[in-house]
């Protein structure tokens, strides 16, 4: 299998001196095409920071990030933005749809950013949303969609431009269990059927069933096993 | 991106409306002021343009009718008429004075012609005659109306009582008006003896005005013959010059007002929706995409303001003659284009502050609630 996303001894320090926080501390991680990597760990252990580093939303203090054979840490702001819009699809806990745009327009917009012409973007957006069961919600604004529907629109937006990597931060945390299962299924499908490298950060235990690999984090480091106090495992599945 | 930019812009329709009106007000300010000066400048030259003369002859070194004094002998007409191509020459005196009507003074440019002059009198007579005999005066009809003067009324011109025997249109402008008296009365009022200020010349059919002017210059070196177009242009420039500094100041003021209004509006629109731009950045919108978005927003606001401003100025143009006696407002295409250019620059500059703000925005906001 091909290594799609590689983090090489990556450290992220926020702040300076006494108030500095070592949010990610010397992490190395490789994600292959077609696999789901689930990152788990207690609150504040650096999971979101790790995801942002992988997604070129943050620059590491030290260490390097690679997309396929290309080092992305050396890219300028414009180069990183281009990589995000073409190769990385994001899914967030708070959906983050553009509130002024309908479901279809949200998806069309990211296609437009990559230079797709309008009618093509429109067709693709309708197609992807239709596959995710949102064919009847195309012209709805996010404000009138349920949480589960909004997150499926977000998944559609992440998948629409056919990126190699999907990065999801707590994608099921704000969803009821049925919607959570649905989104989990979509993410598994993205990896196993569409061959994307999928990284999911979550506390949600249900997601372990779709994970090919689970990475445990504690205090910014990857640890070989779940933290001994068992916080993760005993946490309620839904919040 | 176009759709997103427009939907974000129109999210707050009241703000959009107020901004449009703000820009429109600045545009009206710029256009109307220029239009008024231009209208006034046109009125200044109305006599020159309507006199029916092909050439005007002034004293050597005099190039204007307004803001200039020309004195010529009163008996030059026969000499002028010997120049090749000249058909007829008519002496004319021209001076500014006050006339008193019902105790209020009015600035009047008096045009004095011989009672038998074949042309050069009022060109749009609405009552009575267009040319004054001794003891008579032809007035602007709107001035007469305002003071209940009619044919037969008497007015005082520098202590001399004259009888109104004609009323004519298109003689008044914002601050002054033209009136016609006889050349003899003018010479008596001024104590100037048998002199004239200018000669109005008609050329023979088919003759070339500049050529005839040249032949007069050769024959009578102490005069300055000009074609009507030349004199008109030169007087118009004087009229405009008086307003140029004010116009420039107003154009700058209007520009700054427009820029402030659009800039603030786009900026607050963007800052209120900062998270949305964080999302855009996270999903890969680059600086170019963002600039495109802000440019669209600010240009749409600026151009909407321009359109409304032009319409308002147009309405004002129709209303002005009824609001102020003798005032006219011109909408010059060239100045319209200039103002449009100014508005486009406003639209471009107003996009910069939100762009800088969003460029500094950390896309990590997408991970927070
Ligand atoms: N911009 C920042 N400035 C300073 N400290 C930060 C910043 N972002 C994160 N941190 C700190 O880094 C650490 C890791 O944060 P991170 O959000 O990555 O944790 P997390 O594992 O995602 O937690 P949670 O499960 O609660 O989402 C925390 O201690 C956090 O307070
Ligand atoms: Mg987190």
């Amino acid at each position: 299998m091909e290594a799609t996303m590689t983090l090489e001894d990556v450290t992220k320090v926020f702040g300076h001196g006494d108030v500095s926080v070592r949010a990610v501390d010397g992490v190395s991680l490789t994600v292959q095409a077609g696999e789901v990597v689930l990152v788990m760990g207690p609150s504040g252990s650096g999971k979101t920071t790790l995801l942002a580093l992988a997604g070129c939303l943050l620059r590491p203090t030290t260490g390097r990030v690679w997309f396929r054979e290309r080092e992305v840490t050396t890219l300028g702001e414009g180069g990183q933005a281009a990589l995000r819009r073409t190769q990385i699809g994001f899914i967030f806990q708070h959906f983050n749809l553009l509130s002024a745009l309908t479901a279809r327009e949200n998806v069309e917009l990211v296609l437009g950013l990559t230079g797709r012409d309008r009618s093509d973007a429109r067709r693709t957006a309708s197609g992807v949303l239709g596959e995710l069961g949102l064919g009847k919600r195309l012209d709805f604004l996010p404000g009138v969609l349920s949480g589960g529907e909004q997150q499926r629109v977000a998944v559609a937006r992440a998948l629409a431009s056919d990126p190699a990597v999907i990065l999801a931060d707590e994608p099921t945390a704000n969803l009821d269990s049925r919607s959570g299962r649905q989104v989990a299924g979509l993410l598994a499908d993205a990896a196993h059927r569409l061959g994307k490298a999928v990284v999911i950060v979550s506390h949600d235990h249900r997601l372990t069933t779709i994970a090919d690999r689970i990475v445990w984090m504690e205090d910014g480091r990857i640890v070989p096993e779940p933290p001994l106090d068992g916080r993760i495992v005993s946490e309620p599945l839904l919040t | 991106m176009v759709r997103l930019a427009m939907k974000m812009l129109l999210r707050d329709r009241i703000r959009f409306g107020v901004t449009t009106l703000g820009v429109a007000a600045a545009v009206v300010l710029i256009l109307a002021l220029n239009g008024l000066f231009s209208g006034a400048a046109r009125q200044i030259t109305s006599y020159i343009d309507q006199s029916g003369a092909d050439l005007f002859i002034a004293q050597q070194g005099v190039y204007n009718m307004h803001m200039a004094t020309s004195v010529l002998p009163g008996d030059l007409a026969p000499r002028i008429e010997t120049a090749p191509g000249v058909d007829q020459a008519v002496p004319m005196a021209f001076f500014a004075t006050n006339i008193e009507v019902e105790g209020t003074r009015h600035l009047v440019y008096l045009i004095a012609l011989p009672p038998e002059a074949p042309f050069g009198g009022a060109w749009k007579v609405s009552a009575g005659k267009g040319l004054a005999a001794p003891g008579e005066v032809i007035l602007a009809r709107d001035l007469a109306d305002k003071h209940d003067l009619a044919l037969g009324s008497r007015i005082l011109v520098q202590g001399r009582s004259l009888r109104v025997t004609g009323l004519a249109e298109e003689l008044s402008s914002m601050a002054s008006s033209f009136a016609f008296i006889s050349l003899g009365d003018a010479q008596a009022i001024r104590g100037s003896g048998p002199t004239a200020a200018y000669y109005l010349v008609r050329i023979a059919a088919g003759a070339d005005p500049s050529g005839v002017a040249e032949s007069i210059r050769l024959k009578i070196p102490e005069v300055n013959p000009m074609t009507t177009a030349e004199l008109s242009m030169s007087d118009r420039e004087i009229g405009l010059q008086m307003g140029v500094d004010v116009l420039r100041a107003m154009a700058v003021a209007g520009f700054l007002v427009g820029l402030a209004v659009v800039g603030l509006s786009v900026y607050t629109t963007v800052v209120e929706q900062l998270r949305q731009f964080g999302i855009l950045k996270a999903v890969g919108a680059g600086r170019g995409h963002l600039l495109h978005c802000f440019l669209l927003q600010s240009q749409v606001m600026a151009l909407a303001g321009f359109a409304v401003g032009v319409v308002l100025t147009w309405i004002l143009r129709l209303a002005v003659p009824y609001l102020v006696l003798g005032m006219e407002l011109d909408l010059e295409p060239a100045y319209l284009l200039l103002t449009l250019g100014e508005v486009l620059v406003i639209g471009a500059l107003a996009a910069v502050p939100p762009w800088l703000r969003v460029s500094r925005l950390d896309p990590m906001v997408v991970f927070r609630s």
Side-chain angles (χ1 to χ4, degrees):
Chain A
M1 278 237 211
E2 166 188 22
T4 307
M5 181 63 79
T6 309
L7 287 84
E8 187 185 319
D9 197 16
V10 168
T11 295
K12 179 68 189 180
V13 181
F14 289 111
H16 301 278
D18 287 349
V19 290
S20 72
V21 179
R22 207 165 259 273
V24 169
D25 190 3
V27 168
S28 294
L29 178 69
T30 298
V31 189
Q32 316 270 339
E35 74 167 337
V36 175
V37 174
L38 178 62
V39 181
M40 301 189 94
S43 184
S45 58
K47 305 182 298 292
T48 295
T49 307
L50 185 74
L51 201 73
L53 289 165
C56 288
L57 286 169
L58 270 183
R59 284 176 188 278
T61 310
T62 60
R64 300 197 283 186
V65 179
W66 300 76
F67 173 75
R68 296 194 176 131
E69 278 85 52
R70 184 145 132 246
E71 187 182 347
V72 299
T73 19
T74 55
L75 290 176
E77 204 186 308
Q80 293 202 339
L83 190 78
R84 287 200 299 274
R85 66 178 170 261
T86 54
Q87 298 298 351
I88 303 174
F90 287 99
I91 297 159
F92 309 99
Q93 178 177 350
H94 301 288
F95 318 140
N96 281 328
L97 298 174
L98 295 166
S99 55
L101 299 183
T102 64
R104 173 165 48 199
E105 288 166 350
N106 262 282
V107 180
E108 272 183 78
L109 181 103
V110 291
L111 292 167
L113 290 179
T114 63
R116 291 265 207 113
D117 77 61
R118 256 181 92 163
S119 60
D120 181 19
R122 195 177 163 82
R123 214 170 328 110
T124 306
S126 305
V128 177
L129 286 163
E131 276 177 37
L132 302 194
L134 292 163
K136 293 206 164 70
R137 298 282 183 274
L138 296 181
D139 298 319
F140 284 44
L141 289 171
V144 299
L145 295 177
S146 72
E149 287 169 334
Q150 288 189 57
Q151 195 63 305
R152 276 186 284 151
V153 175
V155 172
R157 174 176 68 182
L159 291 173
S161 53
D162 195 22
V165 182
I166 299 287
L167 303 176
D169 189 33
E170 307 280 5
T172 58
N174 284 3
L175 302 181
D176 60 77
S177 60
R178 190 171 152 267
S179 300
R181 266 196 307 278
Q182 228 170 3
V183 167
L186 293 172
L187 289 170
D189 196 50
H192 302 144
R193 187 170 65 87
L194 303 174
K196 305 195 180 303
V198 176
V199 181
I200 306 172
V201 162
S202 183
H203 290 99
D204 187 343
H205 217 67
R206 290 168 304 181
L207 290 169
T208 56
T209 58
I210 62 159
D212 298 299
R213 197 144 59 92
I214 302 181
V215 171
W216 299 95
M217 281 191 82
E218 195 174 17
D219 293 334
R221 294 167 180 277
I222 291 183
V223 292
E225 281 177 39
L228 285 177
D229 61 8
R231 249 177 311 179
I232 299 298
V233 224
S234 64
E235 245 176 13
L237 300 185
L238 300 172
T239 48
Chain B
M1 192 54 95
V2 176
R3 209 158 354 158
L4 177 66
M6 289 312 105
K7 286 193 168 177
M8 283 179 148
L9 189 65
L10 294 174
R11 201 182 65 135
D12 189 339
R13 275 159 215 267
I14 292 179
R15 171 167 47 208
F16 182 76
V18 169
T19 307
T20 303
L21 284 183
V23 178
V27 167
V28 170
L29 193 74
I30 296 171
L31 284 181
L33 208 70
N34 176 75
L36 291 176
F37 273 104
S38 153
R42 185 166 48 77
Q43 287 171 328
I44 278 181
T45 64
S46 63
Y47 177 69
I48 301 171
D49 300 331
Q50 304 290 342
S51 62
D54 300 308
L55 302 176
F56 275 75
I57 296 177
Q59 186 180 356
Q60 196 180 34
V62 175
Y63 293 89
N64 295 98
M65 259 177 76
H66 292 83
M67 314 290 261
T69 307
S70 169
V71 182
L72 292 170
D75 55 1
L76 272 185
R79 270 181 78 195
I80 296 169
E81 282 166 1
T82 61
V86 173
D87 180 24
Q88 271 180 312
V90 173
M92 186 263 271
F94 177 77
F95 60 101
T97 187
N98 288 300
I99 58 167
E100 272 182 42
V101 189
E102 295 178 322
T104 57
R105 286 195 296 271
H106 289 269
L107 178 63
V108 168
Y109 288 102
L110 287 175
I111 295 161
L113 296 159
E116 70 283 2
F119 58 93
W123 57 92
K124 209 168 188 182
V125 178
S126 50
K129 352 194 259 175
L131 210 53
E136 298 180 352
V137 61
I138 317 296
L139 282 184
R141 195 204 28 92
D142 40 11
L143 179 68
D145 282 354
K146 198 173 157 197
H147 295 287
D148 290 327
L149 297 172
L151 296 182
S153 306
R154 299 197 81 88
I155 59 164
L156 274 181
V157 180
Q158 290 190 235
R160 210 178 176 85
S161 169
L162 299 176
R163 196 159 55 89
V164 178
T165 56
L167 298 173
E169 310 293 333
E170 297 180 4
L171 293 184
S172 43
S173 64
M174 223 185 308
S176 63
S177 68
F178 290 110
F180 295 85
I181 62 174
S182 71
L183 185 59
D185 282 344
Q187 289 166 346
I189 287 171
R190 308 203 83 191
S192 58
T195 61
Y198 302 88
Y199 280 83
L200 275 52
V201 173
R202 259 196 182 158
I203 62 175
D208 160 47
S210 332
V212 178
E214 210 40 51
S215 70
I216 297 173
R217 197 190 314 277
L218 287 174
K219 200 149 202 112
I220 315 171
E222 64 272 26
V223 302
N224 177 27
M226 289 166 280
T227 64
T228 301
E230 284 166 355
L231 179 64
S232 179
M233 177 69 81
S234 149
D235 267 44
R236 181 183 157 75
E237 270 167 21
I238 282 199
L240 282 178
Q241 248 163 34
M242 293 189 277
V244 158
D245 287 341
V246 185
L247 280 180
R248 224 171 259 159
M250 272 308 158
V252 171
F255 178 80
L256 293 178
V257 169
L259 183 58
V261 168
V262 178
L264 209 65
S265 190
V266 175
Y267 190 77
T268 51
T269 301
V270 167
V271 168
E272 274 173 14
Q273 307 178 68
L274 218 45
R275 184 185 177 88
Q276 303 284 303
F277 290 100
I279 297 169
L280 269 177
K281 286 183 80 165
V283 299
R287 289 164 66 85
H289 295 116
L290 295 168
L291 184 60
H292 182 211
C293 175
F294 303 139
L295 275 175
L296 278 169
Q297 295 185 334
S298 54
Q299 290 292 13
V300 163
M301 277 194 183
L303 287 174
F306 178 75
V308 173
V310 170
V311 170
L312 290 180
T313 310
W314 184 264
I315 294 170
L316 196 64
R317 191 186 85 99
L318 300 179
V320 144
Y322 300 100
L323 297 176
V324 185
L325 175 72
M327 184 144 94
E328 281 181 24
L329 194 159
D330 286 359
L331 259 182
E332 292 177 291
Y335 205 75
L336 215 57
L337 275 181
L338 200 75
T339 310
L340 176 62
E342 212 174 300
V343 165
L344 290 175
V345 173
I346 286 176
L349 289 181
V352 174
W355 187 50
L356 293 178
R357 177 68 191 86
V358 170
S359 294
R360 278 191 291 115
L361 176 68
D362 185 355
M364 288 296 286
V365 292
V366 291
F367 293 110
R368 297 169 208 137
S369 55

